[in-house]
Amino acid sequence: MKSLIKIFAMFIMMSFASMVIAPLKSNAQVSVSFQVFYDDLSPYGNWVYYSNHGYVWIPDYGSDFVPYHSNGYWAYTDYGWTWVSYYRWGWAPFHYGRWAYDDMYGWFWVPDDVWGPAWVSWRMGPGYYGWVPLGPGVTFGFAIGGSYNPPSNYWVFVNSSYMGSTNIYQYYSPRTSNSDYISNSQVVNNTYKNNYIAGPKKEDVEKTGGKDIKQVSIKERDKPGQSIGNNELSIYKPNIAKGKDENVKPAKVTELKEVKPVSERKGQKTSDNGNDIKKKEPVLNKEHEPKKEMKKDQAPVKEKKEIGKQPTKKEVEPKMNENKNKEVQPHKENKIKEEKPPKMVQPKMNENKNVPNQPPKEIKRQEKPPRMVQPNTNPNQNPGSQPHHNKGGQQKRPR
């Protein structure tokens, strides 16, 4: 009798377990539609209907925004080099779909249904690596075959020593040398299980960069977002069913003519009030700020302490001139005029950001490709972060 009771009890427990486990298993396999993109990205840009691409997303940033360039870095994961974005919405546009550039509206994102560590094409040269976003319709097979040739100023190049650095965007090489870097480099055709572009091999980067690269594991999370810590990248990467519901669309679709041109939009935001990845774009510390040039017999002027603010001549004038040129005061930073980028030329990046002054020697060396300069060990100098230079090699004084 006791044995029959035990058998009956086990039967009930197994039945109950199957009822609990089955829904969990089915939920993990449920696919979502493009609606997840439309809803999660709407607060950070405009969804518009773009000819030949359908609904595309234009991020609400100025001309200093560039995909796989701004506010993020490369981490080596189970899938190869994976872009880790500091933007709260970065889980989607940097791992699904493709990016394209419009002369009037800047970069825009075309959604797609396949996840990847990053949809870029890679190149490598003597002491440096470069990458460029894949355009709409460009497959990774086409890219690794060497047939993908976007404009040279779409590329980003950096010294191999900075691969894996969380502040890699401080060390990008000037884009004026991109053509030479491209002509003296080769396509990286390394893939992950023939499904994704993995980028440079870990051992190659360690050899050329002279440092060990830590591998980060990827963990799937159950809601939009991303976070990184303890050598683990937790990121939302659902299965997207492209044709699951043909009626899905953005809750708000903006007319393209109503979107502000990229040259008229405000400068790049760095945080978006995001709580997932807390690291922001770097700001200059006091030791990075250039020393103020004082005129003879002039008493020092007490200035406001503001992180990332570089002193200008106007800020050290005598107090009787304080009411002049109010547009350069720190609280009026949005009045700095942005120039409209010329047709088919990559938008100027981080031109007005907190970039430390560079000595002419380092600037001159950066402009002699194809061999990229080794990383500057002096923390007070930043040879690779300035994308624009004047003819004489001297950096323009910030306004």
Side-chain angles (χ1 to χ4, degrees), residues 271-285:
S271 65
D272 292 320
N273 297 320
N275 296 319
D276 291 337
I277 295 184
K278 296 181 180 180
K279 189 173 179 64
K280 314 294 191 303
E281 281 191 316
V283 294
L284 299 182
N285 296 323

Side-chain angles (χ1 to χ4, degrees), residues 112-169:
D112 203 355
D113 59 345
V114 181
W115 185 91
W119 295 108
V120 300
S121 177
W122 289 87
R123 299 189 74 92
M124 62 179 296
Y128 61 89
Y129 292 102
W131 59 90
V132 66
L134 298 185
V138 178
T139 64
F140 80 92
F142 184 78
I144 63 176
S147 300
Y148 182 51
N149 297 303
S152 62
N153 56 356
Y154 286 12
W155 286 83
V156 182
F157 287 96
V158 72
N159 189 289
S160 57
S161 299
Y162 298 115
M163 288 296 295
S165 299
T166 56
N167 60 344
I168 190 173
Y169 41 76

Side-chain angles (χ1 to χ4, degrees), residues 85 92 163 241 303 365:
S85 175
M163 288 296 295
E303 65 178 49
R365 229 191 297 176

Side-chain angles (χ1 to χ4, degrees), residues 101-106 256 259-265 340-341:
Y101 185 76
D102 184 278
D103 297 336
M104 177 70 71
Y105 302 105
L256 189 59
V259 178
K260 286 185 178 181
V262 66
S263 60
E264 297 179 11
R265 296 200 290 266
K340 185 175 179 181

Side-chain angles (χ1 to χ4, degrees), residues 193-210:
K193 294 184 177 179
N194 293 325
N195 292 322
Y196 312 113
I197 299 177
K201 293 181 180 180
K202 178 174 175 285
E203 54 269 26
D204 292 342
V205 177
E206 290 177 331
K207 182 178 179 180
T208 58

Side-chain angles (χ1 to χ4, degrees), residues 157-159 162 165 167-174 281-285 287-289 310 350 353-364 366 373-389 395:
F157 287 96
V158 72
N159 189 289
Y162 298 115
S165 299
N167 60 344
I168 190 173
Y169 41 76
Q170 290 188 349
Y171 304 103
Y172 295 145
S173 182
E281 281 191 316
V283 294
L284 299 182
N285 296 323
E287 60 267 22
H288 292 156
E289 295 181 358
Q310 294 184 352
N350 300 327
K353 294 299 172 184
N354 305 317
V355 182
N357 286 345
Q358 306 171 16
K361 291 182 180 179
E362 293 298 320
I363 295 175
K364 216 167 187 181
Q366 277 283 7
V373 298
Q374 294 302 313
N376 194 340
T377 56
N378 187 344
N380 298 329
Q381 293 180 338
N382 185 2
S385 62
Q386 188 74 358
H388 301 287
H389 307 283
Q395 181 181 355

